[in-house]
Amino acid sequence: MSQVVFGIDYGSKLTGNTVISVFNDGDVFFLDMSQGVDADSFILNAAEHFMPSKIFIDAPLSLPGVYRNLPGFNNYHFRKADLELNAMSPMFLGGLAARAIELKSRLKSLGLKVFETYPIVMANQLKLRDCDYKGSLQNLSSCAQEVINILPASIKIDKDDIKTWHHLDALLALISAINSLFKKPRTYGHREEGLIYI
């Protein structure tokens, strides 16, 4: 399979915490950035270069339906998907959510398909709390190995490339993207308001 897909752990604009995990022709590798680099421009440049068939990003890509006058939506804080997954409110995330929504629009203008994902759901399914997920950096390697173990042997990935928890979350987002190539992903929320894909 020669398709390219992205999994993105999306962080603050200039902190260097945004990581793109790329699946390209059976290989998985990471694109990360230094502090001070504009994360949104970095993602756009990478997307224009690779033209992935799907981009799964760990960030809110829509606001609660009440703000768009969608009939039947009256929650000013949470979307249906947020409530189903016990996720943070897009309203609490404020500027990050606004950036992500704008980024989605710009990526879609390139003809790319962009999906919201939530890596912690997959982390919970893989019982990564047992290896101190998002805890001590000393346990990152063992958590990374647990994730790598679920990948088909045909997918090549170097565990040493997983340098931070942001890299691991980008990989979890990527696994959701890869899975969506083979089967219909599980979705949470309401299509009109905004779905989260796992």
Side-chain angles (χ1 to χ4, degrees):
M1 180 176 55
S2 60
Q3 288 196 68
V4 179
V5 293
F6 280 9
I8 301 176
D9 184 48
Y10 192 64
S12 298
K13 193 167 190 175
L14 300 173
T15 59
N17 289 335
T18 294
V19 177
I20 305 172
S21 184
V22 182
F23 175 77
N24 185 7
D25 201 20
D27 292 323
V28 172
F29 57 92
F30 298 87
L31 304 173
D32 47 25
M33 59 208 73
S34 303
Q35 188 173 358
V37 172
D38 184 314
D40 301 338
S41 295
F42 187 90
I43 292 169
L44 283 164
N45 289 338
E48 285 186 285
H49 177 76
F50 288 99
M51 294 301 289
S53 61
K54 295 185 177 184
I55 298 172
F56 275 53
I57 184 168
D58 175 21
L61 298 179
S62 64
L63 296 179
V66 66
Y67 293 106
R68 289 172 278 147
N69 297 314
L70 295 179
F73 293 91
N74 54 19
N75 192 321
Y76 284 82
H77 302 278
F78 295 95
R79 301 167 300 171
K80 187 170 185 287
D82 303 318
L83 295 171
E84 289 177 9
L85 292 174
N86 197 27
M88 202 174 291
S89 164
M91 309 312 292
F92 179 81
L93 292 168
L96 185 139
R99 283 177 45 230
I101 293 167
E102 180 182 5
L103 179 63
K104 175 186 176 183
S105 176
R106 295 175 72 183
L107 290 167
K108 287 180 75 174
S109 73
L110 297 173
L112 301 175
K113 296 178 181 175
V114 187
F115 304 86
E116 181 178 341
T117 192
Y118 193 38
I120 195 169
V121 176
M122 187 159 292
N124 290 339
Q125 289 175 359
L126 297 175
K127 297 182 170 54
L128 295 188
R129 297 286 181 201
D130 295 347
C131 59
D132 197 30
Y133 171 67
K134 296 273 187 92
S136 168
L137 202 57
Q138 292 176 321
N139 296 317
L140 175 61
S141 180
S142 59
C143 272
Q145 190 59 57
E146 290 294 320
V147 176
I148 290 170
N149 287 344
I150 70 162
L151 293 171
S154 59
I155 294 180
K156 300 177 184 68
I157 181 171
D158 185 345
K159 186 174 73 171
D160 291 340
D161 288 343
I162 304 172
K163 301 169 188 170
T164 67
W165 293 111
H166 300 292
H167 287 76
L168 188 64
D169 274 356
L171 178 59
L172 291 169
L174 182 69
I175 290 171
S176 291
I178 293 171
N179 287 344
S180 76
L181 298 175
F182 302 101
K183 62 184 181 182
K184 186 175 181 181
R186 282 171 297 122
T187 59
Y188 299 84
H190 190 283
R191 184 166 297 279
E192 285 187 59
E193 185 180 40
L195 294 174
I196 293 177
Y197 294 77
I198 305 296

